[in-house]
Amino acid sequence: MIITMGNRPDELRALLDSVAKQDGDRVEVVVVGNGSPVPDVPEGVRTIELPENLGIPGGRNVGIEAFGPSGRDVDVLMFLDDDGLLAQHDTAELCRQAFEADPKLGIISFRIADPDTGVTQRRHVPRLRAADPMRSSRVTTFLGGANAVRTKVFAEVGGLPDEFFYAHEETDLAWRALDAGWMIDYRSDMVLFHPTTAPSRHAVYHRMVARNRVWLARRNLPALLVPVYLGVWMLLTLLRRPSRPALRAWFGGFREGWTTSCGPRRPMKWRTVWRLTRLGRPPVI
């Protein structure tokens, strides 16, 4: 499942070619034009063109439903960025094997590597101990543009939060999945090539990150942990010394997160808090 803004036709075609070359059974593909026409795609690739940009989670949720309610027509859905490229021919087969071997595995996060240097950015390793991107492990979140999700997870806990539009929607789903008993793996042997970029390239980055961080806490954390989690992230943001305009946007988003609806609140169980802690990332950081 791929969403596109229609502005990367060459990269999209290369990605689709890499999917078509996967070993094993043919991978069914849907491309969602998120408020834009879908560029030419190979025969057999399904397309959906949305009249407006629904954001990343909204666009992906439409793609999920293309495979039936909660994606139930298939066992697993891969989500890939339209400017990425599957580095190897066995990624889909490795996914099948991983999910078959572990019935409680709900989500796999792929390793993202720069196609020219092979380097994996630290922020692309979804754990606190990120110095060695070649080490696979259990984790508590996943990367939105390079992952695979068992569709039973969507059926049990719901899809991505549409209202987030951009940023932290993966962690929201990850926490709900973990609270329902599913596990998440980071796999270094499943690789998506993707050019090295900075998340702040998006004009809305600082506001969305702050707003959605508040929403994430309000929706998912026990009441006692909400101020701790948000206090830690405010401190980390200040220590990173963003520019004055970026900081102004961040505090505007933080305020917006408290004054607007975050959607349904379903605080995780305290045993899930303990599970996150044992996995190396307590939900306060």
Side-chain angles (χ1 to χ4, degrees):
M1 192 261 127
I2 303 160
I3 59 172
T4 183
M5 299 293 291
N7 55 350
R8 298 166 177 158
D10 295 338
E11 293 89 339
L12 175 62
R13 188 60 181 249
L15 171 61
L16 292 171
D17 288 344
S18 74
V19 173
K21 294 175 182 176
Q22 291 298 299
D23 299 336
D25 294 339
R26 179 176 178 270
V27 178
E28 300 292 332
V29 181
V30 62
V31 178
V32 177
N34 211 358
S36 67
V38 175
D40 289 338
V41 296
E43 186 177 352
V45 173
R46 286 185 283 173
T47 62
I48 300 171
E49 294 185 352
L50 302 176
E52 61 179 313
N53 183 354
L54 300 182
I56 294 173
R60 287 183 176 144
N61 283 336
V62 170
I64 293 169
E65 296 300 308
F67 295 96
S70 300
R72 68 184 182 192
D73 293 347
V74 294
D75 296 318
V76 173
L77 277 172
M78 284 198 298
F79 296 84
L80 305 173
D81 273 353
D82 68 342
D83 56 345
L85 184 77
L86 289 176
Q88 299 150 342
H89 292 181
D90 63 351
T91 303
E93 197 62 26
L94 288 173
C95 278
R96 295 185 184 104
Q97 293 170 6
F99 284 114
E100 287 172 2
D102 186 352
K104 296 308 294 179
L105 179 61
I107 303 172
I108 298 174
S109 189
F110 301 169
R111 180 167 65 89
I112 294 179
D114 184 272
D116 297 321
T117 65
V119 171
T120 296
Q121 292 179 274
R122 186 181 182 90
R123 69 184 182 90
H124 284 154
V125 183
R127 60 178 178 241
L128 291 179
R129 296 176 180 176
D132 182 9
M134 301 306 295
R135 178 173 67 88
S136 299
S137 69
R138 295 283 200 197
V139 290
T140 62
T141 188
F142 64 99
L143 306 175
N147 67 80
V149 182
R150 195 189 296 268
T151 53
K152 287 182 180 178
V153 173
F154 296 125
E156 186 170 350
V157 307
L160 296 156
D162 286 344
E163 56 268 44
F164 278 41
F165 197 84
Y166 163 78
H168 302 319
E169 65 272 6
E170 302 91 358
T171 300
D172 186 88
L173 176 62
W175 282 1
R176 285 182 282 129
L178 288 163
D179 198 46
W182 296 100
M183 300 303 294
I184 306 170
D185 279 357
Y186 165 73
R187 289 283 297 263
S188 63
D189 57 338
M190 302 180 190
V191 183
L192 184 82
F193 281 151
H194 189 283
T196 298
T197 57
S200 55
R201 70 191 185 278
H202 299 292
V204 298
Y205 172 77
H206 295 287
R207 180 177 70 87
M208 292 287 196
V209 161
R211 183 198 67 181
N212 292 0
R213 184 78 72 182
V214 177
W215 282 357
L216 179 68
R218 289 175 59 198
R219 284 165 60 96
N220 295 287
L221 290 181
L224 288 175
L225 295 185
V226 172
V228 180
Y229 177 82
L230 295 177
V232 167
W233 278 104
M234 181 178 288
L235 178 62
L236 288 174
T237 299
L238 294 173
L239 290 174
R240 290 168 179 167
R241 303 179 66 181
S243 67
R244 184 169 295 180
L247 195 59
R248 189 180 304 116
W250 192 93
F251 274 107
F254 191 84
R255 188 181 311 110
E256 184 182 349
W258 284 108
T259 58
T260 55
S261 173
C262 65
R265 173 168 164 75
R266 299 187 182 95
M268 67 177 64
K269 307 174 189 73
W270 281 104
R271 68 185 181 194
T272 304
V273 173
W274 176 236
R275 174 187 286 183
L276 290 163
T277 302
R278 285 191 292 112
L279 288 169
R281 190 157 195 162
V284 292
I285 191 168

PDB file of all heavy atoms in Angstrom, residues 21-23 101-102 109 111-112 114 119 133 144 146-147 151 171 194 207 218 221 229 258 261 270 275:
ATOM      1  N   LYS A  21       9.336  -7.516  -8.282  1.00  0.00           N
ATOM      2  CA  LYS A  21      10.443  -8.472  -8.328  1.00  0.00           C
ATOM      3  C   LYS A  21      10.568  -9.312  -7.063  1.00  0.00           C
ATOM      4  O   LYS A  21      11.501 -10.111  -6.941  1.00  0.00           O
ATOM      5  CB  LYS A  21      11.757  -7.716  -8.567  1.00  0.00           C
ATOM      6  CG  LYS A  21      11.838  -7.056  -9.940  1.00  0.00           C
ATOM      7  CD  LYS A  21      13.116  -6.223 -10.057  1.00  0.00           C
ATOM      8  CE  LYS A  21      13.172  -5.515 -11.409  1.00  0.00           C
ATOM      9  NZ  LYS A  21      14.369  -4.626 -11.517  1.00  0.00           N
ATOM     10  N   GLN A  22       9.646  -9.161  -6.114  1.00  0.00           N
ATOM     11  CA  GLN A  22       9.739  -9.900  -4.861  1.00  0.00           C
ATOM     12  C   GLN A  22       9.554 -11.401  -5.089  1.00  0.00           C
ATOM     13  O   GLN A  22       8.743 -11.824  -5.914  1.00  0.00           O
ATOM     14  CB  GLN A  22       8.702  -9.397  -3.861  1.00  0.00           C
ATOM     15  CG  GLN A  22       8.968  -7.993  -3.348  1.00  0.00           C
ATOM     16  CD  GLN A  22      10.289  -7.906  -2.597  1.00  0.00           C
ATOM     17  OE1 GLN A  22      10.501  -8.564  -1.584  1.00  0.00           O
ATOM     18  NE2 GLN A  22      11.198  -7.093  -3.127  1.00  0.00           N
ATOM     19  N   ASP A  23      10.318 -12.178  -4.342  1.00  0.00           N
ATOM     20  CA  ASP A  23      10.212 -13.635  -4.430  1.00  0.00           C
ATOM     21  C   ASP A  23       8.864 -14.094  -3.880  1.00  0.00           C
ATOM     22  O   ASP A  23       8.209 -13.408  -3.097  1.00  0.00           O
ATOM     23  CB  ASP A  23      11.333 -14.295  -3.617  1.00  0.00           C
ATOM     24  CG  ASP A  23      12.719 -13.928  -4.125  1.00  0.00           C
ATOM     25  OD1 ASP A  23      12.840 -13.562  -5.315  1.00  0.00           O
ATOM     26  OD2 ASP A  23      13.676 -14.007  -3.321  1.00  0.00           O
ATOM     27  N   ALA A 101       5.889 -17.495  11.804  1.00  0.00           N
ATOM     28  CA  ALA A 101       6.653 -18.077  12.905  1.00  0.00           C
ATOM     29  C   ALA A 101       6.217 -17.555  14.269  1.00  0.00           C
ATOM     30  O   ALA A 101       6.436 -18.226  15.284  1.00  0.00           O
ATOM     31  CB  ALA A 101       8.141 -17.790  12.701  1.00  0.00           C
ATOM     32  N   ASP A 102       5.607 -16.382  14.321  1.00  0.00           N
ATOM     33  CA  ASP A 102       5.265 -15.753  15.598  1.00  0.00           C
ATOM     34  C   ASP A 102       3.827 -15.246  15.555  1.00  0.00           C
ATOM     35  O   ASP A 102       3.568 -14.156  15.060  1.00  0.00           O
ATOM     36  CB  ASP A 102       6.228 -14.608  15.884  1.00  0.00           C
ATOM     37  CG  ASP A 102       6.026 -13.994  17.265  1.00  0.00           C
ATOM     38  OD1 ASP A 102       5.039 -14.353  17.948  1.00  0.00           O
ATOM     39  OD2 ASP A 102       6.845 -13.143  17.663  1.00  0.00           O
ATOM     40  N   SER A 109       8.863  -3.345  11.589  1.00  0.00           N
ATOM     41  CA  SER A 109       9.448  -2.098  11.110  1.00  0.00           C
ATOM     42  C   SER A 109      10.719  -2.423  10.340  1.00  0.00           C
ATOM     43  O   SER A 109      11.619  -3.088  10.857  1.00  0.00           O
ATOM     44  CB  SER A 109       9.765  -1.172  12.299  1.00  0.00           C
ATOM     45  OG  SER A 109      10.130   0.109  11.870  1.00  0.00           O
ATOM     46  N   ARG A 111      14.302  -1.661   8.186  1.00  0.00           N
ATOM     47  CA  ARG A 111      15.443  -0.739   8.275  1.00  0.00           C
ATOM     48  C   ARG A 111      15.431   0.167   7.043  1.00  0.00           C
ATOM     49  O   ARG A 111      15.265  -0.310   5.918  1.00  0.00           O
ATOM     50  CB  ARG A 111      16.764  -1.508   8.366  1.00  0.00           C
ATOM     51  CG  ARG A 111      17.995  -0.589   8.466  1.00  0.00           C
ATOM     52  CD  ARG A 111      19.226  -1.372   8.873  1.00  0.00           C
ATOM     53  NE  ARG A 111      19.618  -2.354   7.872  1.00  0.00           N
ATOM     54  CZ  ARG A 111      20.452  -2.112   6.856  1.00  0.00           C
ATOM     55  NH1 ARG A 111      20.972  -0.909   6.683  1.00  0.00           N
ATOM     56  NH2 ARG A 111      20.762  -3.087   6.015  1.00  0.00           N
ATOM     57  N   ILE A 112      15.585   1.455   7.261  1.00  0.00           N
ATOM     58  CA  ILE A 112      15.672   2.419   6.173  1.00  0.00           C
ATOM     59  C   ILE A 112      17.134   2.803   5.974  1.00  0.00           C
ATOM     60  O   ILE A 112      17.820   3.154   6.936  1.00  0.00           O
ATOM     61  CB  ILE A 112      14.820   3.670   6.455  1.00  0.00           C
ATOM     62  CG1 ILE A 112      13.333   3.291   6.481  1.00  0.00           C
ATOM     63  CG2 ILE A 112      15.081   4.752   5.430  1.00  0.00           C
ATOM     64  CD1 ILE A 112      12.407   4.449   6.786  1.00  0.00           C
ATOM     65  N   ASP A 114      20.091   4.832   3.286  1.00  0.00           N
ATOM     66  CA  ASP A 114      20.325   5.711   2.142  1.00  0.00           C
ATOM     67  C   ASP A 114      20.830   4.872   0.969  1.00  0.00           C
ATOM     68  O   ASP A 114      21.737   4.044   1.132  1.00  0.00           O
ATOM     69  CB  ASP A 114      21.361   6.780   2.507  1.00  0.00           C
ATOM     70  CG  ASP A 114      21.566   7.780   1.384  1.00  0.00           C
ATOM     71  OD1 ASP A 114      22.427   7.518   0.508  1.00  0.00           O
ATOM     72  OD2 ASP A 114      20.860   8.806   1.371  1.00  0.00           O
ATOM     73  N   VAL A 119      23.821   4.224   4.780  1.00  0.00           N
ATOM     74  CA  VAL A 119      23.723   4.653   6.170  1.00  0.00           C
ATOM     75  C   VAL A 119      22.263   4.707   6.608  1.00  0.00           C
ATOM     76  O   VAL A 119      21.391   5.172   5.868  1.00  0.00           O
ATOM     77  CB  VAL A 119      24.378   6.039   6.353  1.00  0.00           C
ATOM     78  CG1 VAL A 119      24.093   6.608   7.742  1.00  0.00           C
ATOM     79  CG2 VAL A 119      25.881   5.941   6.121  1.00  0.00           C
ATOM     80  N   PRO A 133      22.248   0.063  14.022  1.00  0.00           N
ATOM     81  CA  PRO A 133      21.040  -0.195  13.229  1.00  0.00           C
ATOM     82  C   PRO A 133      20.980  -1.604  12.660  1.00  0.00           C
ATOM     83  O   PRO A 133      19.934  -2.017  12.165  1.00  0.00           O
ATOM     84  CB  PRO A 133      21.132   0.842  12.107  1.00  0.00           C
ATOM     85  CG  PRO A 133      22.586   1.118  11.960  1.00  0.00           C
ATOM     86  CD  PRO A 133      23.156   1.005  13.343  1.00  0.00           C
ATOM     87  N   GLY A 144       6.647   4.664   9.711  1.00  0.00           N
ATOM     88  CA  GLY A 144       5.424   4.677   8.918  1.00  0.00           C
ATOM     89  C   GLY A 144       5.596   4.334   7.458  1.00  0.00           C
ATOM     90  O   GLY A 144       4.692   3.762   6.849  1.00  0.00           O
ATOM     91  N   ALA A 146       7.861   2.320   6.014  1.00  0.00           N
ATOM     92  CA  ALA A 146       8.593   1.094   5.727  1.00  0.00           C
ATOM     93  C   ALA A 146       8.234   0.052   6.789  1.00  0.00           C
ATOM     94  O   ALA A 146       8.969  -0.163   7.738  1.00  0.00           O
ATOM     95  CB  ALA A 146      10.098   1.347   5.731  1.00  0.00           C
ATOM     96  N   ASN A 147       7.075  -0.573   6.606  1.00  0.00           N
ATOM     97  CA  ASN A 147       6.616  -1.503   7.632  1.00  0.00           C
ATOM     98  C   ASN A 147       5.643  -2.511   7.052  1.00  0.00           C
ATOM     99  O   ASN A 147       5.188  -2.376   5.906  1.00  0.00           O
ATOM    100  CB  ASN A 147       5.966  -0.743   8.786  1.00  0.00           C
ATOM    101  CG  ASN A 147       4.674  -0.066   8.385  1.00  0.00           C
ATOM    102  OD1 ASN A 147       3.614  -0.704   8.315  1.00  0.00           O
ATOM    103  ND2 ASN A 147       4.721   1.233   8.100  1.00  0.00           N
ATOM    104  N   THR A 151      -3.133  -7.722   9.389  1.00  0.00           N
ATOM    105  CA  THR A 151      -4.423  -7.034   9.313  1.00  0.00           C
ATOM    106  C   THR A 151      -5.330  -7.342  10.496  1.00  0.00           C
ATOM    107  O   THR A 151      -6.251  -6.579  10.786  1.00  0.00           O
ATOM    108  CB  THR A 151      -5.137  -7.375   7.994  1.00  0.00           C
ATOM    109  OG1 THR A 151      -5.222  -8.798   7.837  1.00  0.00           O
ATOM    110  CG2 THR A 151      -4.383  -6.798   6.805  1.00  0.00           C
ATOM    111  N   THR A 171       3.054   5.704  16.324  1.00  0.00           N
ATOM    112  CA  THR A 171       3.161   5.389  17.747  1.00  0.00           C
ATOM    113  C   THR A 171       1.782   5.197  18.373  1.00  0.00           C
ATOM    114  O   THR A 171       1.596   4.335  19.239  1.00  0.00           O
ATOM    115  CB  THR A 171       3.944   6.484  18.484  1.00  0.00           C
ATOM    116  OG1 THR A 171       5.254   6.568  17.907  1.00  0.00           O
ATOM    117  CG2 THR A 171       4.071   6.170  19.973  1.00  0.00           C
ATOM    118  N   HIS A 194      15.960   4.670   0.941  1.00  0.00           N
ATOM    119  CA  HIS A 194      15.243   5.953   0.969  1.00  0.00           C
ATOM    120  C   HIS A 194      16.278   7.063   1.111  1.00  0.00           C
ATOM    121  O   HIS A 194      17.161   6.980   1.967  1.00  0.00           O
ATOM    122  CB  HIS A 194      14.264   5.991   2.141  1.00  0.00           C
ATOM    123  CG  HIS A 194      13.334   7.160   2.142  1.00  0.00           C
ATOM    124  ND1 HIS A 194      13.721   8.420   2.536  1.00  0.00           N
ATOM    125  CD2 HIS A 194      12.025   7.268   1.769  1.00  0.00           C
ATOM    126  CE1 HIS A 194      12.703   9.260   2.434  1.00  0.00           C
ATOM    127  NE2 HIS A 194      11.673   8.573   1.965  1.00  0.00           N
ATOM    128  N   ARG A 207       4.687  22.348  14.332  1.00  0.00           N
ATOM    129  CA  ARG A 207       3.346  22.441  14.915  1.00  0.00           C
ATOM    130  C   ARG A 207       2.710  21.071  15.047  1.00  0.00           C
ATOM    131  O   ARG A 207       2.143  20.727  16.088  1.00  0.00           O
ATOM    132  CB  ARG A 207       2.462  23.356  14.054  1.00  0.00           C
ATOM    133  CG  ARG A 207       1.039  23.490  14.616  1.00  0.00           C
ATOM    134  CD  ARG A 207       0.213  24.466  13.785  1.00  0.00           C
ATOM    135  NE  ARG A 207      -0.118  23.947  12.473  1.00  0.00           N
ATOM    136  CZ  ARG A 207      -1.193  23.187  12.220  1.00  0.00           C
ATOM    137  NH1 ARG A 207      -2.013  22.825  13.200  1.00  0.00           N
ATOM    138  NH2 ARG A 207      -1.447  22.767  10.998  1.00  0.00           N
ATOM    139  N   ARG A 218      -2.786  12.256  25.545  1.00  0.00           N
ATOM    140  CA  ARG A 218      -4.165  12.365  26.034  1.00  0.00           C
ATOM    141  C   ARG A 218      -4.993  11.140  25.646  1.00  0.00           C
ATOM    142  O   ARG A 218      -5.860  10.701  26.412  1.00  0.00           O
ATOM    143  CB  ARG A 218      -4.823  13.626  25.471  1.00  0.00           C
ATOM    144  CG  ARG A 218      -4.293  14.934  26.042  1.00  0.00           C
ATOM    145  CD  ARG A 218      -4.907  16.131  25.350  1.00  0.00           C
ATOM    146  NE  ARG A 218      -6.378  16.125  25.473  1.00  0.00           N
ATOM    147  CZ  ARG A 218      -7.186  16.833  24.687  1.00  0.00           C
ATOM    148  NH1 ARG A 218      -6.692  17.593  23.722  1.00  0.00           N
ATOM    149  NH2 ARG A 218      -8.491  16.767  24.863  1.00  0.00           N
ATOM    150  N   LEU A 221      -2.270   7.442  27.347  1.00  0.00           N
ATOM    151  CA  LEU A 221      -1.531   7.231  28.581  1.00  0.00           C
ATOM    152  C   LEU A 221      -2.433   7.302  29.814  1.00  0.00           C
ATOM    153  O   LEU A 221      -3.393   8.079  29.836  1.00  0.00           O
ATOM    154  CB  LEU A 221      -0.420   8.271  28.722  1.00  0.00           C
ATOM    155  CG  LEU A 221       0.760   8.144  27.763  1.00  0.00           C
ATOM    156  CD1 LEU A 221       1.779   9.234  28.054  1.00  0.00           C
ATOM    157  CD2 LEU A 221       1.405   6.770  27.850  1.00  0.00           C
ATOM    158  N   TYR A 229       5.184  12.568  30.668  1.00  0.00           N
ATOM    159  CA  TYR A 229       5.566  12.360  29.267  1.00  0.00           C
ATOM    160  C   TYR A 229       5.735  13.696  28.533  1.00  0.00           C
ATOM    161  O   TYR A 229       6.754  13.940  27.871  1.00  0.00           O
ATOM    162  CB  TYR A 229       4.504  11.500  28.592  1.00  0.00           C
ATOM    163  CG  TYR A 229       4.697  11.251  27.109  1.00  0.00           C
ATOM    164  CD1 TYR A 229       5.555  10.247  26.665  1.00  0.00           C
ATOM    165  CD2 TYR A 229       4.015  11.993  26.159  1.00  0.00           C
ATOM    166  CE1 TYR A 229       5.728   9.998  25.310  1.00  0.00           C
ATOM    167  CE2 TYR A 229       4.173  11.756  24.802  1.00  0.00           C
ATOM    168  CZ  TYR A 229       5.033  10.754  24.383  1.00  0.00           C
ATOM    169  OH  TYR A 229       5.201  10.516  23.043  1.00  0.00           O
ATOM    170  N   TRP A 258      -3.897  20.771  23.471  1.00  0.00           N
ATOM    171  CA  TRP A 258      -4.710  20.798  24.687  1.00  0.00           C
ATOM    172  C   TRP A 258      -6.100  21.378  24.464  1.00  0.00           C
ATOM    173  O   TRP A 258      -7.034  21.072  25.204  1.00  0.00           O
ATOM    174  CB  TRP A 258      -4.003  21.625  25.769  1.00  0.00           C
ATOM    175  CG  TRP A 258      -2.875  20.907  26.414  1.00  0.00           C
ATOM    176  CD1 TRP A 258      -1.547  21.160  26.256  1.00  0.00           C
ATOM    177  CD2 TRP A 258      -2.948  19.802  27.319  1.00  0.00           C
ATOM    178  NE1 TRP A 258      -0.794  20.287  26.994  1.00  0.00           N
ATOM    179  CE2 TRP A 258      -1.634  19.441  27.669  1.00  0.00           C
ATOM    180  CE3 TRP A 258      -4.007  19.078  27.877  1.00  0.00           C
ATOM    181  CZ2 TRP A 258      -1.337  18.393  28.539  1.00  0.00           C
ATOM    182  CZ3 TRP A 258      -3.721  18.036  28.744  1.00  0.00           C
ATOM    183  CH2 TRP A 258      -2.409  17.700  29.066  1.00  0.00           C
ATOM    184  N   SER A 261      -9.982  18.658  20.148  1.00  0.00           N
ATOM    185  CA  SER A 261     -10.328  17.260  20.408  1.00  0.00           C
ATOM    186  C   SER A 261      -9.237  16.329  19.892  1.00  0.00           C
ATOM    187  O   SER A 261      -8.740  16.490  18.776  1.00  0.00           O
ATOM    188  CB  SER A 261     -11.660  16.918  19.737  1.00  0.00           C
ATOM    189  OG  SER A 261     -11.925  15.524  19.838  1.00  0.00           O
ATOM    190  N   TRP A 270      -1.814  -0.571  32.941  1.00  0.00           N
ATOM    191  CA  TRP A 270      -0.524  -0.420  33.611  1.00  0.00           C
ATOM    192  C   TRP A 270       0.412  -1.574  33.276  1.00  0.00           C
ATOM    193  O   TRP A 270       1.641  -1.398  33.236  1.00  0.00           O
ATOM    194  CB  TRP A 270      -0.716  -0.294  35.118  1.00  0.00           C
ATOM    195  CG  TRP A 270      -1.154   1.089  35.509  1.00  0.00           C
ATOM    196  CD1 TRP A 270      -2.406   1.486  35.864  1.00  0.00           C
ATOM    197  CD2 TRP A 270      -0.331   2.259  35.559  1.00  0.00           C
ATOM    198  NE1 TRP A 270      -2.423   2.837  36.119  1.00  0.00           N
ATOM    199  CE2 TRP A 270      -1.167   3.341  35.960  1.00  0.00           C
ATOM    200  CE3 TRP A 270       1.019   2.509  35.313  1.00  0.00           C
ATOM    201  CZ2 TRP A 270      -0.682   4.636  36.096  1.00  0.00           C
ATOM    202  CZ3 TRP A 270       1.508   3.801  35.465  1.00  0.00           C
ATOM    203  CH2 TRP A 270       0.674   4.843  35.855  1.00  0.00           C
ATOM    204  N   ARG A 275       5.252  -3.412  30.201  1.00  0.00           N
ATOM    205  CA  ARG A 275       5.788  -4.082  29.011  1.00  0.00           C
ATOM    206  C   ARG A 275       6.654  -3.124  28.201  1.00  0.00           C
ATOM    207  O   ARG A 275       7.767  -3.481  27.765  1.00  0.00           O
ATOM    208  CB  ARG A 275       4.648  -4.607  28.128  1.00  0.00           C
ATOM    209  CG  ARG A 275       5.152  -5.188  26.815  1.00  0.00           C
ATOM    210  CD  ARG A 275       4.024  -5.545  25.874  1.00  0.00           C
ATOM    211  NE  ARG A 275       3.326  -6.747  26.309  1.00  0.00           N
ATOM    212  CZ  ARG A 275       2.321  -7.305  25.628  1.00  0.00           C
ATOM    213  NH1 ARG A 275       1.903  -6.735  24.514  1.00  0.00           N
ATOM    214  NH2 ARG A 275       1.751  -8.393  26.047  1.00  0.00           N
TER     215      ARG A 275
END
